Amino acid sequence: MPSAASQTSTKRTNPAKVKRAAAHPQRPGQACQAAPGEYIPVVNRAKCEGKGDCVEVCPYDVFDVSTIAPADFQALGFMARLKVRVHGMQTAYTPREDACLACGLCVVACPERAIQLVRAVQP
């Protein structure tokens, strides 16, 4: 079993996905030019299947894929809860969303189209 250190170091190991996402003609965002936290990635849990493409392409380590929280699971409709169960109760979370520079790689890499970049509310 790999150690936690080796798991962290292999978190983003798919340069082909990064290259494909970077070249996508409909890539949203600010080409990594936004200020940190100006945009945040929002995950639609009803669509997310926890495949981890977002983790593999994000250059800012914004995403983690983990077991869906009970409150998030209960907030889903019946069909979405069923889908989440079929896909192993995994979903993407954004614990470091304040590090996002709006490159848009996650949006185009997500096979379920479950991620949107949203401008953060300015105080």
Side-chain angles (χ1 to χ4, degrees), residues 1-67:
M1 174 176 253
S3 69
S6 67
Q7 287 177 346
T8 303
S9 66
T10 61
K11 197 169 192 180
R12 276 179 257 113
T13 58
N14 198 327
K17 284 184 184 180
V18 173
K19 185 175 181 179
R20 191 169 44 250
H24 195 286
Q26 295 174 332
R27 179 176 153 199
Q30 303 296 313
C32 300
Q33 300 299 311
E38 184 178 341
Y39 287 84
I40 58 169
V42 176
V43 178
N44 180 334
R45 304 219 188 286
K47 291 182 176 182
C48 181
E49 295 177 2
K51 292 179 179 170
D53 291 44
C54 52
V55 174
E56 292 180 13
V57 301
C58 180
Y60 306 108
D61 199 26
V62 169
F63 295 90
D64 281 332
V65 172
S66 61
T67 303

